[in-house]
Amino acid sequence: MPFSTTSPLTGEPLAPVEATPVGSVAQLVSRAREAQAAWASKPLEARMEAIYRVKDRILDAGEEIARVLRTECGKPEGEAWTAEVIPNADLVEHWIEGIEEALAPEEVSLDPMTYPGKSGAIHAVPRGVIALITPWNFPVAIPLRTIVPALLAGNAIVFKPSEHSPRAGALVAKLFEGLLPPDVFVLVQGGGDVGAALVSSGPDLIVFTGSVPTGRKIAEAAARALTPVSLELGGKDAAIVLDDADVERAARGIVWGAFNNAGQNCASIERVYVHEKIAGALVDRMVALTRQLRVGEDVGPLTTQQQLEVVQRHVDGARELGAEVLCGGKATGRGLLFEPTIVKVTGDEGRIPLMTDETFGPVLPVVIVKSEDEAIRRANDSRYGLTASVWTKKTSRGEQLAERLRAGVVTVNNHGFTAAIAAAPWSGVGESGFGVTNSKHALREFTRPRFVLVDKSSAKSELWWMPYTPSLVATVKAMSILRSASRSIGEKLRALIMLLSNAPKRLMGR
Ligand code: NAD
């Protein structure tokens, strides 16, 4: 049984979950494919009417969502509401408001001289069946960011939540119960084997959020089948604190950015580069704020034992290589709780896994730098590139530095919360993957463009149709001269005469 069976917070047993037999996944995908055609052919208003009801369902289920996330993942109740309930209701509202315009056919302007009688438009066509595979860290918000716009666009979805948050996954499915035709939204439960079966069952698009190693496996399988894939992977976000930053705001913001969701956030701050001028004040304030955090209440547990071990290994490894642990540094021994930890790192970052690999836990390494150039260089020196932040009172300076940061999202005087904004694209570079969540750019992943051209020309033939008579060559040579900026007025006049005498012949097939 792949599922988590005890609460990471209390160790209490969790409700049993039934796994989907691996052998049934392909058939479930086929059934979704059959259902998808009818769903896509419904008027958009009908799809909007069904999905809009999910907004209130999310709000009404807020308490239940917070309770399940608390027991199954250990997430603090306040975080569940701010990250997984309220923004999801807003997400539904956002897509309902914008979907008609976003899916409206887009006319393509055609030159009437070259293409007489023709008009063309780009239509957004649903991909078909989307295989959606998600992690456990935001087990309600992450799937909904795909499910809501993808269903509105006319896709069917086969959704596999993480084996570490199957109960949250079931809650997501419940939000849609009775609103959709059968098989348009299918929940499959299980671990990597069920995920792999889903990937190889012929979906039309795979949307994956999770770790780099799994993302790589999925990309390889998708490449073999030529299935399009969207990958949102890990991160090693940097926060750069300039010499003029508001120390109190930066300290509070970075402590939140590092320790929310116990650091199990792809956009957790996992590296701070602070200017030497204010480093002392910032570090003292961050340590003081961190000491005030209540372990278990403000900072929840790691969700898995394996993650707890990674976190301990990173902290111990950094210490062995000379880093100084300023607060925290060890597991509490209660559930899977780990003390929020600040580490001052000196020396060669490249040798310290805490500075190069995703930790995904409540550990904040701080490096003191001499200049903003040094901070940018070190921040960009990473395999990952999800989000980054710059902290400065001169916001225009922050915006300028944003242009030099290798990241999909840059925030000035804030960090990492923009995944909650449905209109803002969330994306990465490098090993953070190339998928896009949220915004019209995500909708482009859930649809493909179909160009439809209608020809109302009454001409019997076209310029480029057979037979290839001398008038074809005369016409195209004239067209070429008329398009060229280097030809004289005289040459262009002669070409125009040539065009007017030959083009009509071509349109009659001569
Ligand atoms: P994971 O890769 O272990 O698992 C993710 C999902 O993939 C799970 O549902 C799992 O069952 C499934 N899976 C495992 N093996 C599979 C296979 N061979 N084929 C198909 N599916 C398979 O990731 P995780 O530990 O659950 O999540 C943490 C990771 O997710 C971190 O690296 C984090 O940074 C990343 N993440 C990224 C974003 C983002 O937006 N970029 C958001 C959240 C989490």
Side-chain angles (χ1 to χ4, degrees), residues 24-25 40 53 93 120-121 153 166 176 191 247 249 301 309 385 433 455 465-466 469 484 503 506:
S24 69
V25 173
R53 295 184 47 200
E93 189 70 42
F176 294 85
V247 169
R249 181 172 175 84
E309 286 160 18
D455 200 332
W465 288 1
M466 291 164 180
T469 58
S484 166
R506 287 304 300 161

PDB file of all heavy atoms in Angstrom, residues 24-25 40 53 93 120-121 153 166 176 191 247 249 301 309 385 433 455 465-466 469 484 503 506:
ATOM      1  N   SER A  24      -6.190  -1.001 -14.456  1.00  0.00           N
ATOM      2  CA  SER A  24      -7.444  -0.384 -14.916  1.00  0.00           C
ATOM      3  C   SER A  24      -7.234   1.039 -15.452  1.00  0.00           C
ATOM      4  O   SER A  24      -8.161   1.653 -15.971  1.00  0.00           O
ATOM      5  CB  SER A  24      -8.457  -0.341 -13.760  1.00  0.00           C
ATOM      6  OG  SER A  24      -8.014   0.597 -12.788  1.00  0.00           O
ATOM      7  N   VAL A  25      -6.004   1.559 -15.318  1.00  0.00           N
ATOM      8  CA  VAL A  25      -5.787   2.981 -15.645  1.00  0.00           C
ATOM      9  C   VAL A  25      -6.040   3.261 -17.130  1.00  0.00           C
ATOM     10  O   VAL A  25      -6.713   4.239 -17.488  1.00  0.00           O
ATOM     11  CB  VAL A  25      -4.359   3.417 -15.225  1.00  0.00           C
ATOM     12  CG1 VAL A  25      -4.057   4.822 -15.713  1.00  0.00           C
ATOM     13  CG2 VAL A  25      -4.220   3.344 -13.712  1.00  0.00           C
ATOM     14  N   ALA A  40     -16.680  18.663 -24.684  1.00  0.00           N
ATOM     15  CA  ALA A  40     -16.117  19.775 -25.474  1.00  0.00           C
ATOM     16  C   ALA A  40     -17.158  20.366 -26.414  1.00  0.00           C
ATOM     17  O   ALA A  40     -17.088  21.537 -26.758  1.00  0.00           O
ATOM     18  CB  ALA A  40     -14.908  19.287 -26.264  1.00  0.00           C
ATOM     19  N   ARG A  53     -20.074  26.607  -9.920  1.00  0.00           N
ATOM     20  CA  ARG A  53     -20.603  26.117  -8.637  1.00  0.00           C
ATOM     21  C   ARG A  53     -19.489  25.618  -7.716  1.00  0.00           C
ATOM     22  O   ARG A  53     -19.668  25.501  -6.503  1.00  0.00           O
ATOM     23  CB  ARG A  53     -21.654  25.039  -8.897  1.00  0.00           C
ATOM     24  CG  ARG A  53     -22.838  25.697  -9.614  1.00  0.00           C
ATOM     25  CD  ARG A  53     -24.003  24.802  -9.850  1.00  0.00           C
ATOM     26  NE  ARG A  53     -24.411  24.016  -8.700  1.00  0.00           N
ATOM     27  CZ  ARG A  53     -25.137  22.914  -8.811  1.00  0.00           C
ATOM     28  NH1 ARG A  53     -25.496  22.489 -10.002  1.00  0.00           N
ATOM     29  NH2 ARG A  53     -25.485  22.250  -7.741  1.00  0.00           N
ATOM     30  N   GLU A  93     -13.400  32.195  -9.879  1.00  0.00           N
ATOM     31  CA  GLU A  93     -13.967  33.481 -10.305  1.00  0.00           C
ATOM     32  C   GLU A  93     -13.151  34.047 -11.485  1.00  0.00           C
ATOM     33  O   GLU A  93     -13.712  34.501 -12.478  1.00  0.00           O
ATOM     34  CB  GLU A  93     -13.906  34.447  -9.104  1.00  0.00           C
ATOM     35  CG  GLU A  93     -14.646  35.752  -9.288  1.00  0.00           C
ATOM     36  CD  GLU A  93     -16.157  35.575  -9.298  1.00  0.00           C
ATOM     37  OE1 GLU A  93     -16.674  34.806  -8.474  1.00  0.00           O
ATOM     38  OE2 GLU A  93     -16.809  36.217 -10.149  1.00  0.00           O
ATOM     39  N   GLY A 120      -9.328  34.061 -42.087  1.00  0.00           N
ATOM     40  CA  GLY A 120      -8.868  32.946 -41.257  1.00  0.00           C
ATOM     41  C   GLY A 120      -8.941  33.289 -39.779  1.00  0.00           C
ATOM     42  O   GLY A 120      -8.847  34.464 -39.406  1.00  0.00           O
ATOM     43  N   ALA A 121      -9.122  32.273 -38.955  1.00  0.00           N
ATOM     44  CA  ALA A 121      -9.171  32.500 -37.504  1.00  0.00           C
ATOM     45  C   ALA A 121      -8.525  31.326 -36.777  1.00  0.00           C
ATOM     46  O   ALA A 121      -8.559  30.179 -37.245  1.00  0.00           O
ATOM     47  CB  ALA A 121     -10.610  32.674 -37.049  1.00  0.00           C
ATOM     48  N   ALA A 153     -11.998  24.698 -20.737  1.00  0.00           N
ATOM     49  CA  ALA A 153     -11.555  24.679 -22.140  1.00  0.00           C
ATOM     50  C   ALA A 153     -12.067  23.446 -22.883  1.00  0.00           C
ATOM     51  O   ALA A 153     -11.859  23.331 -24.091  1.00  0.00           O
ATOM     52  CB  ALA A 153     -10.035  24.749 -22.206  1.00  0.00           C
ATOM     53  N   PRO A 166      -3.594  11.484  -0.418  1.00  0.00           N
ATOM     54  CA  PRO A 166      -4.722  10.945  -1.194  1.00  0.00           C
ATOM     55  C   PRO A 166      -6.072  11.429  -0.677  1.00  0.00           C
ATOM     56  O   PRO A 166      -7.027  11.556  -1.443  1.00  0.00           O
ATOM     57  CB  PRO A 166      -4.589   9.428  -1.006  1.00  0.00           C
ATOM     58  CG  PRO A 166      -3.858   9.267   0.291  1.00  0.00           C
ATOM     59  CD  PRO A 166      -2.908  10.427   0.357  1.00  0.00           C
ATOM     60  N   PHE A 176     -16.228  18.406  -7.443  1.00  0.00           N
ATOM     61  CA  PHE A 176     -16.823  18.372  -8.792  1.00  0.00           C
ATOM     62  C   PHE A 176     -17.957  17.349  -8.899  1.00  0.00           C
ATOM     63  O   PHE A 176     -18.580  17.230  -9.951  1.00  0.00           O
ATOM     64  CB  PHE A 176     -15.729  18.060  -9.833  1.00  0.00           C
ATOM     65  CG  PHE A 176     -14.712  19.162  -9.935  1.00  0.00           C
ATOM     66  CD1 PHE A 176     -13.626  19.205  -9.073  1.00  0.00           C
ATOM     67  CD2 PHE A 176     -14.861  20.185 -10.864  1.00  0.00           C
ATOM     68  CE1 PHE A 176     -12.696  20.233  -9.145  1.00  0.00           C
ATOM     69  CE2 PHE A 176     -13.941  21.221 -10.936  1.00  0.00           C
ATOM     70  CZ  PHE A 176     -12.854  21.247 -10.072  1.00  0.00           C
ATOM     71  N   GLY A 191       0.495   5.211  -6.087  1.00  0.00           N
ATOM     72  CA  GLY A 191       1.843   5.776  -6.059  1.00  0.00           C
ATOM     73  C   GLY A 191       2.427   5.935  -7.455  1.00  0.00           C
ATOM     74  O   GLY A 191       1.694   6.075  -8.438  1.00  0.00           O
ATOM     75  N   VAL A 247      14.800  46.515   7.171  1.00  0.00           N
ATOM     76  CA  VAL A 247      15.243  45.289   7.856  1.00  0.00           C
ATOM     77  C   VAL A 247      14.058  44.538   8.466  1.00  0.00           C
ATOM     78  O   VAL A 247      13.959  43.309   8.350  1.00  0.00           O
ATOM     79  CB  VAL A 247      16.300  45.622   8.940  1.00  0.00           C
ATOM     80  CG1 VAL A 247      16.570  44.409   9.825  1.00  0.00           C
ATOM     81  CG2 VAL A 247      17.589  46.087   8.275  1.00  0.00           C
ATOM     82  N   ARG A 249      10.818  44.529   7.618  1.00  0.00           N
ATOM     83  CA  ARG A 249       9.974  43.876   6.608  1.00  0.00           C
ATOM     84  C   ARG A 249      10.711  42.694   5.968  1.00  0.00           C
ATOM     85  O   ARG A 249      10.149  41.623   5.776  1.00  0.00           O
ATOM     86  CB  ARG A 249       9.547  44.879   5.528  1.00  0.00           C
ATOM     87  CG  ARG A 249       8.664  44.234   4.501  1.00  0.00           C
ATOM     88  CD  ARG A 249       8.039  45.165   3.488  1.00  0.00           C
ATOM     89  NE  ARG A 249       7.312  44.357   2.513  1.00  0.00           N
ATOM     90  CZ  ARG A 249       6.067  43.905   2.659  1.00  0.00           C
ATOM     91  NH1 ARG A 249       5.380  44.228   3.726  1.00  0.00           N
ATOM     92  NH2 ARG A 249       5.499  43.130   1.750  1.00  0.00           N
ATOM     93  N   PRO A 301       4.896  20.010  10.568  1.00  0.00           N
ATOM     94  CA  PRO A 301       5.904  18.954  10.411  1.00  0.00           C
ATOM     95  C   PRO A 301       6.272  18.758   8.942  1.00  0.00           C
ATOM     96  O   PRO A 301       5.583  19.245   8.051  1.00  0.00           O
ATOM     97  CB  PRO A 301       5.160  17.720  10.919  1.00  0.00           C
ATOM     98  CG  PRO A 301       3.731  18.002  10.591  1.00  0.00           C
ATOM     99  CD  PRO A 301       3.538  19.485  10.718  1.00  0.00           C
ATOM    100  N   GLU A 309      14.608  13.224   6.810  1.00  0.00           N
ATOM    101  CA  GLU A 309      15.999  12.750   6.731  1.00  0.00           C
ATOM    102  C   GLU A 309      16.837  13.636   5.807  1.00  0.00           C
ATOM    103  O   GLU A 309      17.992  13.945   6.113  1.00  0.00           O
ATOM    104  CB  GLU A 309      16.024  11.284   6.262  1.00  0.00           C
ATOM    105  CG  GLU A 309      15.582  10.342   7.372  1.00  0.00           C
ATOM    106  CD  GLU A 309      15.112   8.980   6.876  1.00  0.00           C
ATOM    107  OE1 GLU A 309      15.433   8.614   5.731  1.00  0.00           O
ATOM    108  OE2 GLU A 309      14.409   8.281   7.651  1.00  0.00           O
ATOM    109  N   GLY A 385      15.612  27.564 -11.180  1.00  0.00           N
ATOM    110  CA  GLY A 385      15.289  28.968 -11.456  1.00  0.00           C
ATOM    111  C   GLY A 385      13.789  29.184 -11.378  1.00  0.00           C
ATOM    112  O   GLY A 385      13.144  29.503 -12.371  1.00  0.00           O
ATOM    113  N   GLY A 433      11.874  23.335 -14.463  1.00  0.00           N
ATOM    114  CA  GLY A 433      10.870  22.899 -15.435  1.00  0.00           C
ATOM    115  C   GLY A 433      10.401  24.040 -16.315  1.00  0.00           C
ATOM    116  O   GLY A 433      10.754  25.199 -16.103  1.00  0.00           O
ATOM    117  N   ASP A 455     -12.433  30.338 -47.763  1.00  0.00           N
ATOM    118  CA  ASP A 455     -12.141  31.034 -49.019  1.00  0.00           C
ATOM    119  C   ASP A 455     -13.445  31.330 -49.749  1.00  0.00           C
ATOM    120  O   ASP A 455     -14.154  30.418 -50.166  1.00  0.00           O
ATOM    121  CB  ASP A 455     -11.224  30.142 -49.876  1.00  0.00           C
ATOM    122  CG  ASP A 455     -10.508  30.950 -50.922  1.00  0.00           C
ATOM    123  OD1 ASP A 455     -11.065  31.998 -51.343  1.00  0.00           O
ATOM    124  OD2 ASP A 455      -9.389  30.558 -51.300  1.00  0.00           O
ATOM    125  N   TRP A 465      -1.692  27.663 -58.124  1.00  0.00           N
ATOM    126  CA  TRP A 465      -2.158  26.353 -58.591  1.00  0.00           C
ATOM    127  C   TRP A 465      -1.582  26.038 -59.967  1.00  0.00           C
ATOM    128  O   TRP A 465      -1.084  26.908 -60.674  1.00  0.00           O
ATOM    129  CB  TRP A 465      -3.709  26.364 -58.667  1.00  0.00           C
ATOM    130  CG  TRP A 465      -4.394  26.342 -57.308  1.00  0.00           C
ATOM    131  CD1 TRP A 465      -3.784  26.338 -56.103  1.00  0.00           C
ATOM    132  CD2 TRP A 465      -5.803  26.374 -57.060  1.00  0.00           C
ATOM    133  NE1 TRP A 465      -4.717  26.349 -55.088  1.00  0.00           N
ATOM    134  CE2 TRP A 465      -5.981  26.366 -55.638  1.00  0.00           C
ATOM    135  CE3 TRP A 465      -6.955  26.385 -57.864  1.00  0.00           C
ATOM    136  CZ2 TRP A 465      -7.243  26.389 -55.034  1.00  0.00           C
ATOM    137  CZ3 TRP A 465      -8.215  26.404 -57.264  1.00  0.00           C
ATOM    138  CH2 TRP A 465      -8.356  26.396 -55.860  1.00  0.00           C
ATOM    139  N   MET A 466      -1.678  24.771 -60.360  1.00  0.00           N
ATOM    140  CA  MET A 466      -1.206  24.347 -61.680  1.00  0.00           C
ATOM    141  C   MET A 466      -2.218  24.774 -62.743  1.00  0.00           C
ATOM    142  O   MET A 466      -3.398  24.932 -62.410  1.00  0.00           O
ATOM    143  CB  MET A 466      -1.024  22.836 -61.709  1.00  0.00           C
ATOM    144  CG  MET A 466       0.134  22.396 -60.851  1.00  0.00           C
ATOM    145  SD  MET A 466       0.026  20.650 -60.562  1.00  0.00           S
ATOM    146  CE  MET A 466       1.455  20.391 -59.565  1.00  0.00           C
ATOM    147  N   THR A 469       2.393  28.266 -65.639  1.00  0.00           N
ATOM    148  CA  THR A 469       2.585  28.975 -66.912  1.00  0.00           C
ATOM    149  C   THR A 469       3.584  30.119 -66.740  1.00  0.00           C
ATOM    150  O   THR A 469       3.901  30.485 -65.595  1.00  0.00           O
ATOM    151  CB  THR A 469       1.239  29.563 -67.374  1.00  0.00           C
ATOM    152  OG1 THR A 469       0.785  30.423 -66.325  1.00  0.00           O
ATOM    153  CG2 THR A 469       0.202  28.481 -67.624  1.00  0.00           C
ATOM    154  N   SER A 484      10.340  44.553 -52.158  1.00  0.00           N
ATOM    155  CA  SER A 484      11.731  44.848 -51.802  1.00  0.00           C
ATOM    156  C   SER A 484      11.934  46.339 -51.542  1.00  0.00           C
ATOM    157  O   SER A 484      11.499  47.186 -52.330  1.00  0.00           O
ATOM    158  CB  SER A 484      12.646  44.386 -52.942  1.00  0.00           C
ATOM    159  OG  SER A 484      13.918  44.945 -52.773  1.00  0.00           O
ATOM    160  N   ALA A 503      -1.464  38.792 -63.201  1.00  0.00           N
ATOM    161  CA  ALA A 503      -2.193  38.162 -62.093  1.00  0.00           C
ATOM    162  C   ALA A 503      -3.605  37.721 -62.496  1.00  0.00           C
ATOM    163  O   ALA A 503      -4.014  36.587 -62.171  1.00  0.00           O
ATOM    164  CB  ALA A 503      -2.242  39.112 -60.899  1.00  0.00           C
ATOM    165  N   ARG A 506      -3.612  34.364 -64.067  1.00  0.00           N
ATOM    166  CA  ARG A 506      -3.397  33.263 -63.123  1.00  0.00           C
ATOM    167  C   ARG A 506      -4.698  32.880 -62.427  1.00  0.00           C
ATOM    168  O   ARG A 506      -4.966  31.704 -62.163  1.00  0.00           O
ATOM    169  CB  ARG A 506      -2.378  33.681 -62.038  1.00  0.00           C
ATOM    170  CG  ARG A 506      -0.953  33.767 -62.506  1.00  0.00           C
ATOM    171  CD  ARG A 506      -0.468  32.482 -63.119  1.00  0.00           C
ATOM    172  NE  ARG A 506      -0.509  31.353 -62.215  1.00  0.00           N
ATOM    173  CZ  ARG A 506      -0.494  30.088 -62.582  1.00  0.00           C
ATOM    174  NH1 ARG A 506      -0.457  29.786 -63.854  1.00  0.00           N
ATOM    175  NH2 ARG A 506      -0.529  29.117 -61.702  1.00  0.00           N
TER     176      ARG A 506
END
